[in-house]
Each structure stands twice: as C-alpha cells, then as structure tokens.
Amino acid sequence: MTILYIVTVIESMHTSRSGGRAALGDKGDGKMGSIDTINVRSRSGTSNGAVTQRFARLLVKFVEGIELMLEKRRSRCALLELTDEQLKDIGISRADAAREGLRPFWD
C-alpha cells in the first residue's frame, strides 16, 4: 500500500510538471506537437516518462529493502523472546539465539 502510494504520487508529479502553464509550442489544448516531442526526447535520450518510471522502480526497490531489513529485525527480536524449551524444539542454543538476535538489522 505504501509503495503503491509513492509510485502514484511520483506519476502525478510527472503529469503535473508543467504546473498548469502552457509549454513552449503548446497550443493550449494539452497536446504536444511532433517537433516538441522530438525535442523532449532528444535532450536526454529518453522521454520524461521513462525517467520517472526508472525513478519509481528505484524508489520501490529501496522501500522493499527497508521493509526486508525491518522484517529481519522483528524476527531476530522474536527469537530473543523464545523460551529455552522453544529454542530446544527448533535446535538452537540460547547462545546462538543471542548471537543472532543481537545482530544489526542491516546485516
């Protein structure tokens, strides 16, 4: 849900980039002429939409990485809360659980 919201916001920022002002060569109907389209693509080699999509994908990967790190931290904290009997059931000693549970979330 969070990732979807971020991508939606980025795409809406891209579509409203002109801020309601008419762009150079714009006839006021919201459409770009073929020369304007060529100029936009030739400046950077890609269209603004492609750049926005790449940025959105990068942002989604970043957020997914953060979510993965937080999930690791939650599972390590849960491991620290297990009783000796529960640790014995899964075949882990208290020392192994403490070593794993105290690792930093980015590790």
Side-chain angles (χ1 to χ4, degrees):
M1 175 100 175
T2 304
I3 296 169
L4 198 54
Y5 174 75
I6 292 171
V7 172
T8 305
V9 169
I10 291 171
E11 288 176 353
S12 68
M13 286 173 26
H14 169 67
T15 56
S16 65
R17 179 172 281 192
S18 65
R21 294 173 291 173
L24 184 63
D26 192 0
K27 297 175 185 167
D29 59 359
K31 298 178 184 175
M32 291 179 70
S34 58
I35 293 176
D36 295 329
T37 305
I38 292 169
N39 287 337
V40 168
R41 288 179 185 261
S42 66
R43 283 186 207 131
S44 64
T46 59
S47 68
N48 288 337
V51 172
T52 302
Q53 287 177 352
R54 269 198 310 256
F55 178 72
R57 282 193 300 266
L58 180 65
L59 186 60
V60 166
K61 286 183 180 183
F62 176 74
V63 170
E64 287 174 345
I66 296 293
E67 288 176 346
L68 178 64
M69 285 189 257
L70 292 174
E71 179 60 33
K72 283 182 183 180
R73 185 66 193 145
R74 281 190 292 271
S75 65
R76 288 174 178 163
C77 287
L79 186 62
L80 289 174
E81 295 176 2
L82 294 178
T83 64
D84 288 333
E85 184 66 30
Q86 292 169 326
L87 290 172
K88 184 179 176 185
D89 285 345
I90 61 174
I92 297 177
S93 69
R94 174 61 63 192
D96 291 337
R99 186 178 322 109
E100 181 66 27
L102 297 175
R103 288 175 60 185
F105 68 90
W106 59 83
D107 189 18

